[in-house]
Amino acid sequence: MKLHRALPIVAVIPALLLASACSGKSEESGDKKPKATAGSADGKNSAEAKRLGALDAEQLEKAALTGRAAGFDAKRIARSEVEAGKGMRSDTKACQPLASLIGGFTHLPAVGTAHRTLQPVDAKNATVGSMWLASHSEADAGRVMTELRAAVTACPKGFKTLGLTYGKVEGLPAPKLGAGADETVAYRITGDIGKQQVPMTYTVVRSGGVVAAFYGVNMLDPKHAAIPEPVVEAQLKRLADVRG
C-alpha cells in the first residue's frame, strides 16, 4: 500500500488549508491587473535584493531542491497555491511568526521566496511535507529566527488564524546540522483539522540571509513527522553551491 498517497492533500502544504477559508473571495477580477501587479512586485523585490546583497527569487529557484534528494522528491508549487498563504494573521500577536510560517512565509517580508512540496520516494514512508526558502538581509533573517524562537516559547497553548485552531505548540531539540546552518529552530504545532488533530513538525534554519523552513507531517506516526536531516543538509549544500 502506498501510504503517503492515502494521506489528505492538506498534509502536503499548510497553505492549502486556506482554500476553504478564502473561498468567499472573488477570483473573477481581470487577469491583466494581477499579473502586472505581480510583475511590478517581483521587479521591486529583485532590486531590493540586489541592494541588500541578498539572493533574489530567481536565484532562490536555482538554489531550491528540485527532483530527488535524500529519499524525497521535491516539486515546485503553483504560484496561486503559494500566494494563498500570504497574510495569515494570528489572533495573538506574539504567535504571528508561527502563523506566517504555516502560510508558507516569514513574518518579515522577504525579497525572494521559492517553495517546494516534499514527498518520499519510498511508498512505505508516510512522512510528507513542504519546504521554502525566504531571502532577507542577514540582520532581518536573524530577527526572523529570534522572534520565531520567542513565539515558540510564548505560545504553548496555540492560537487561531482565519478560523483555524492550532491548539498546542511545543519546542523540539534542534537537529545538529553541518556547515551552512547558522542557527536552527525546531517545533511541533498541533492543528485541529475538522475532527482530526494533526501534529505538524517544523525545522527552520538560517543560512546567512536565507531562512529555510521544512514542514513535515506523518498521520501514522507523528514522532517521525520531521523532514529528515539529510534533506535539510542537501538543501543547505545546494544553497552554498549557488552562492559559490
Side-chain angles (χ1 to χ4, degrees), residues 75-138:
K75 295 182 179 180
R76 294 183 181 183
I77 303 173
R79 184 165 185 162
S80 59
E81 294 180 4
V82 170
E83 293 295 316
K86 260 190 174 179
M88 286 191 74
R89 291 289 175 264
S90 167
D91 64 342
T92 305
K93 185 177 180 181
C95 305
Q96 185 56 50
L98 300 168
S100 293
L101 282 181
I102 287 174
F105 293 87
T106 51
H107 65 288
L108 298 183
V111 294
T113 60
H115 294 74
R116 300 288 188 268
T117 59
L118 293 172
Q119 202 165 47
V121 175
D122 183 353
K124 295 181 180 179
N125 185 351
T127 299
V128 295
S130 60
M131 60 151 287
W132 51 98
L133 305 178
S135 183
H136 299 266
S137 67
E138 192 160 343

Side-chain angles (χ1 to χ4, degrees), residues 23-84:
S23 60
K25 295 182 180 180
S26 173
E27 297 181 357
E28 297 179 358
S29 55
D31 288 337
K32 293 183 180 180
K33 187 175 180 181
K35 288 181 180 178
T37 301
S40 176
D42 288 346
K44 182 178 179 180
N45 286 341
S46 182
E48 180 65 3
K50 185 175 182 179
R51 185 184 73 81
L52 295 173
L55 299 181
D56 61 19
E58 184 176 351
Q59 291 170 311
L60 285 183
E61 281 294 337
K62 292 179 181 178
L65 290 177
T66 305
R68 293 190 176 186
F72 277 73
D73 193 18
K75 295 182 179 180
R76 294 183 181 183
I77 303 173
R79 184 165 185 162
S80 59
E81 294 180 4
V82 170
E83 293 295 316

Side-chain angles (χ1 to χ4, degrees), residues 129-202:
S130 60
M131 60 151 287
W132 51 98
L133 305 178
S135 183
H136 299 266
S137 67
E138 192 160 343
D140 275 356
R143 182 181 159 195
V144 166
M145 299 298 286
T146 297
E147 294 178 2
L148 175 62
R149 195 176 289 110
V152 172
T153 300
C155 305
K157 295 183 179 179
F159 53 94
K160 293 181 180 180
T161 177
L162 290 180
L164 301 172
T165 299
Y166 301 90
K168 186 178 181 181
V169 178
E170 17 178 2
L172 299 174
K176 295 180 180 179
L177 302 169
D182 294 314
E183 53 182 321
T184 306
V185 177
Y187 58 93
R188 181 182 296 120
I189 295 180
T190 300
D192 299 327
I193 313 301
K195 296 182 179 180
Q196 279 186 303
Q197 289 194 326
V198 181
M200 305 178 293
T201 301
Y202 288 81

